[in-house]
Amino acid sequence: MVGDFDLAEEVVQDSLVAALEKWPEQGIPDKPGAWLMTTARRRAIDILRRDKRYREKLELLEHSDLRPDPEEADDRLRLLFTCCHPALSQEAQVALTLRAVVGFTTAEIARAFLVEEATVAQRIVRAKRKIVEAKIPYRVPEGSEVAGRLDGVLSVLYLMFNEGYLSRGAEVSIRRDLADDAIWLTRLVASLMPDQPEVLGLLALMKLNLARFKARFDASGEMVLLPDQDRRLWDRRAITEGLELLERAGAMRATGPYQLQAAIAALHSEAASWNETDWHQIVVLYDALVALSDSPVVRLNRAVALSYFAGPEAALGEVNDLAMSLAGYHLFHSTRAELLDRVGEPALAREARLRALELCQNPAERTLLERRLAT
């Protein structure tokens, strides 16, 4: 409505503050979303009236069609695709969407990208300015427009789920509500684009990973790694749904990175025990993933799988090759520590684990590292 991200964020925050002040005394309105929207709109009009530069935006806002009860699904999809417009670089698309749609802080986005916070802040500012200057419309694209935005949308949903599945922050270990929200949004995109195999692949990946949710932490809240998880706690219904989604995607014969990751998760889900995991097939899938979407993190994960198929010595050499690109990534150092332990280098393993602890913020991961250091 206002054509300005910063102003929109300001007036929405003001309306939320007003709600916190008034609702405890007056009661929650029948349609709280509509109340917030109306309050934000009035606040925007007040701000724009005081600044002559925004006369054109004021006129648009005063004559805008304000729906009394906006549909959250429709609004979030519009905002998601607006932020992922091809006029923006993909890095800017993902950063802006995580900020505007998901509500990540700049620091959280920086951790997800493994970049400096100032870099993310600049990307977001430039992206907001570009949307205003290019007059990018607030709508879900149609026809041939979809392809140019889908990669950015899926990247956002993937990062959103990962943050919920295992947070990079220091406050909580997991954010189940965020992971569930990512699945909900991905389902919306899948309903909009049922013929896009990578959307189905991403949804399958999310379902298969979240199926292990109850087994990932013990009663005291400490993390339980995959080899030690009680597989009886895994959600078999979610696994079945994930496998069906993956099969539907595969029938379209257009393999992509999310389908390959889902296929890897499927092999873990189908193994009756850790020892029965088909590591050879997992390495083959990682080879295909490297060919399609090469990155240091993908190569790190491949090395882990390789260590159980070809031995820790072969994997350690590949991990060491990633030292420059992943020097600031705690999982690089913790993975290297595990491999060093397995090849009989406890002193070097301890050194790597201490570095991982310096870089790690997630409380459950920190506890796990501290426990390994104490043994």
Side-chain angles (χ1 to χ4, degrees), residues 233-249:
L233 297 176
W234 290 2
D235 185 342
R236 291 295 158 185
R237 180 181 295 181
I239 289 173
T240 299
E241 184 182 352
L243 294 174
E244 289 173 351
L245 286 163
L246 185 57
E247 188 174 341
R248 281 173 54 196

Side-chain angles (χ1 to χ4, degrees), residues 185-201:
L185 282 168
T186 307
R187 283 193 188 281
L188 284 181
V189 177
S191 66
L192 184 70
M193 306 172 189
D195 59 345
Q196 292 289 335
E198 276 293 80
V199 179
L200 298 177

Side-chain angles (χ1 to χ4, degrees), residues 167-217:
S167 175
R168 293 177 183 268
E171 292 78 21
V172 293
S173 300
I174 55 172
R175 298 169 65 177
R176 177 62 190 262
D177 59 329
L178 192 59
D180 287 338
D181 203 26
I183 290 178
W184 183 76
L185 282 168
T186 307
R187 283 193 188 281
L188 284 181
V189 177
S191 66
L192 184 70
M193 306 172 189
D195 59 345
Q196 292 289 335
E198 276 293 80
V199 179
L200 298 177
L202 178 57
L203 188 55
L205 175 62
M206 292 176 176
K207 294 295 293 186
L208 290 167
N209 280 335
L210 206 59
R212 301 196 292 265
F213 183 80
K214 289 184 179 179
R216 294 178 64 226
F217 296 88

